[in-house]
């Protein structure tokens, strides 16, 4: 994938009909799942077609309304994709309170990625105090929340991240017990040191060689919430697991999940995440690209780890 696979297309701002609202998008969320939508083949969601607008979560402001449910100035969470304006009947639009919380947090720690961490960890991981939780892509939007939630549950939180700067942040700022830099080599030995009692939960964000290194270190009856495998989204030759036998040896439960299929858990997750965030116990950081024209570069960079925290694109000022 390269930037030339993307094209900016200009068109008129749509006319608003009865019952509709026009939203000016302020922030666009860039997420790894978008790469999957660019492939044909079996998946949990339909692939985009060439020339479709790229999908994506957005935060925007209502600039024109012919709907009784929204007024000009309302801030809304929507799914307008990679575009500056969106037209909607209101279904699927969620009003966001303009309180003390930064708006972009609703695309990150208080939005889909934070909820993903909560759902995967609690529903599949079922953490218990004293257990060891390992999470890959630990400084990222999902991983950073996983480790902090694991600490709240009384677990040992061990991150895996690319580079010393990210690892220092994960330990010093986010409060993980340890973080292993997979780019520094000796991942197996360093993971053994960071998780000396073995691994009870592997919150899997990356897949490939990192998952393969984790597998033999799993404790009996370990759980793997399979959230994603970002290391494999943009490669021609998929990585073949060598330590598949660990699933039987350690009687491991592995379950893939898609956060959008667990809407029943969102209210509880969002409430707990908001409480933790407002009390200062849930920290996060963002990488913000400026302007829609820079979205492809930021997206491709994110799939190589060039982001540091939740990747967003700022589209306009409020
Ligand atoms: P992040 O903010 O974590 O960004 C992606 C990170 O992945 C990069 O920063 C990089 O971190 C890491 N990465 C990229 N390539 C590699 C590689 N080859 N090897 C190791 N690490 C790599 O993204 P998100 O938090 O948004 O997403 C994390 C995972 O969660 C993804 O797999 C995503 O698909 C999944 N997800 C799943 C959902 C679900 O419902 N199942 C919902 C949302 C996300 P580093 O520099 O540390 O390597």
């Amino acid at each position: 994938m390269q930037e030339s696979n993307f094209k900016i297309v200009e068109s008129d701002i749509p006319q608003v009909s009865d019952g509709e609202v026009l939203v000016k998008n302020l922030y666009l969320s860039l997420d790894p799942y978008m790469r999957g939508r660019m492939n044909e083949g079996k998946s949990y969601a339909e692939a985009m077609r060439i020339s479709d607008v790229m999908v994506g979560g957005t935060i925007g402001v209502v600039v024109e309304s012919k709907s009784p449910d929204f007024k000009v100035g309302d801030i809304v969470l929507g799914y307008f994709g990679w575009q500056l304006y969106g037209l909607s009947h209101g279904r699927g639009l969620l009003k966001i309170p303009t309180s003390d919380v930064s708006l972009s947090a609703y695309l990150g720690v208080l939005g889909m990625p934070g909820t993903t961490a909560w759902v995967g960890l609690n529903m599949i991981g079922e953490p218990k105090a004293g257990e060891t939780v390992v999470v890959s892509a630990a400084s990222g939007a999902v991983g950073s929340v996983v480790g902090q939630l694991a600490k709240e549950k009384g677990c040992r939180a061990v991150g895996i991240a690319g580079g010393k700067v990210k690892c220092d942040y994960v330990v010093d700022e986010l409060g993980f017990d340890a973080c292993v830099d997979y780019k520094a080599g000796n991942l197996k030995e360093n993971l053994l040191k960071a998780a000396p009692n073995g691994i009870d939960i592997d919150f899997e964000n990356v897949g490939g060689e990192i998952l393969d290194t984790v597998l033999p270190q799993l404790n009996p009856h370990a759980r793997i919430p399979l959230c994603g495998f970002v290391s494999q989204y943009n490669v021609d030759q998929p990585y073949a697991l060598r330590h598949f036998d660990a699933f039987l040896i350690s009687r491991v439960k592995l379950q893939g999940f898609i956060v959008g299929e667990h809407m029943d858990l969102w209210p509880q997750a969002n409430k707990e995440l908001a409480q933790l965030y407002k009390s200062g116990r849930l920290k996060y950081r963002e990488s913000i690209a400026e302007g829609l024209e820079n979205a492809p570069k930021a997206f491709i960079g994110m799939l190589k780890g060039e982001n540091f925290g939740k990747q967003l694109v700022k589209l306009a000022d409020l």
Side-chain angles (χ1 to χ4, degrees), residues 7 43 49 61 64 90 135 154 176 260 280 289 298:
K7 191 163 72 176
S43 184
R49 291 156 307 174
V61 57
E64 196 178 336
V135 58
F176 285 41

Side-chain angles (χ1 to χ4, degrees), residues 31-33 112 116 137 140-142 161-162 166 182 205-206 210 227-231 233 257-259 302-303 305 307 309:
D31 299 273
Y33 74 82
M112 184 277 281
T116 302
V142 175
K166 285 186 176 178
Y182 72 88
N205 282 328
V206 164
I210 290 182
C227 178
F229 39 96
V230 64
S231 72
Y233 294 169
F257 71 102
I258 298 300
V259 69
M302 179 183 64
L303 295 175
N307 62 313

Side-chain angles (χ1 to χ4, degrees), residues 18-292:
D18 277 349
E20 291 182 335
V21 288
L22 180 68
V23 177
K24 182 169 88 162
N25 294 325
L26 305 172
Y27 288 101
L28 165 68
S29 174
L30 295 183
D31 299 273
Y33 74 82
M34 294 166 176
R35 181 63 187 84
R37 298 282 207 285
M38 298 167 80
N39 287 348
E40 286 182 324
K42 189 175 175 190
S43 184
Y44 61 90
E46 209 180 321
M48 291 180 289
R49 291 156 307 174
I50 289 173
S51 294
D52 276 354
V53 173
M54 285 287 292
V55 293
T58 47
I59 294 278
V61 57
V62 173
V63 289
E64 196 178 336
S65 177
K66 292 188 180 170
S67 160
D69 301 325
F70 296 90
K71 60 179 189 320
V72 170
D74 281 347
I75 304 292
V76 288
L77 177 66
Y79 198 70
F80 289 120
W82 294 28
Q83 50 184 353
L84 301 180
Y85 287 86
L87 188 67
S88 169
H89 277 95
R91 215 175 43 202
L93 272 192
L94 189 69
K95 279 191 221 173
I96 297 297
T98 44
S99 58
D100 45 341
V101 173
S102 117
L103 294 182
S104 57
Y106 289 99
L107 292 173
V109 67
L110 301 182
M112 184 277 281
T115 310
T116 302
W118 192 100
V119 168
L121 185 66
N122 290 311
M123 185 184 75
I124 301 163
E126 299 182 284
K128 291 166 212 62
E131 291 189 325
T132 296
V133 177
V134 165
V135 58
S136 43
S139 71
V142 175
S144 59
V145 178
V146 170
Q148 292 179 86
L149 291 179
K151 288 299 295 174
E152 291 289 329
K153 294 274 180 191
C155 297
R156 177 173 176 80
V158 177
I160 301 175
K164 182 174 180 334
V165 176
K166 285 186 176 178
C167 278
D168 285 350
Y169 164 75
V170 163
V171 173
D172 299 340
E173 299 289 324
L174 302 181
F176 285 41
D177 297 286
C179 184
V180 178
D181 172 8
Y182 72 88
K183 289 185 176 166
N186 298 324
L187 176 61
K188 179 181 159 192
E189 292 72 22
N190 290 334
L191 199 53
L192 280 167
K193 275 188 223 147
N197 299 323
I199 298 164
D200 300 293
I201 298 171
D202 170 41
F203 193 105
E204 191 53 52
N205 282 328
V206 164
E209 201 172 348
I210 290 182
L211 170 61
D212 221 3
T213 310
V214 167
L215 285 176
Q217 300 191 29
L218 292 174
N219 285 333
H221 305 291
R223 287 82 69 197
I224 304 181
L226 179 55
C227 178
F229 39 96
V230 64
S231 72
Q232 303 297 296
Y233 294 169
N234 208 23
V235 294
D236 297 327
Q237 201 59 45
Y239 180 93
L241 285 183
R242 286 177 294 129
H243 293 117
F244 198 76
D245 56 350
F247 289 104
L248 182 61
I249 293 169
S250 297
R251 289 87 77 206
V252 176
K253 177 179 95 171
L254 174 142
Q255 190 182 330
F257 71 102
I258 298 300
V259 69
E261 292 181 352
H262 300 282
M263 295 313 290
D264 54 319
L265 298 176
W266 282 56
Q268 191 188 346
N270 292 354
K271 191 171 149 214
E272 283 185 29
L273 291 167
Q275 277 167 355
L276 284 173
Y277 175 76
K278 284 177 184 162
S279 68
R281 303 215 310 274
L282 188 57
K283 305 207 174 75
Y284 72 104
R285 65 178 285 159
E286 300 171 330
S287 289
I288 304 184
E290 292 283 334
L292 191 57

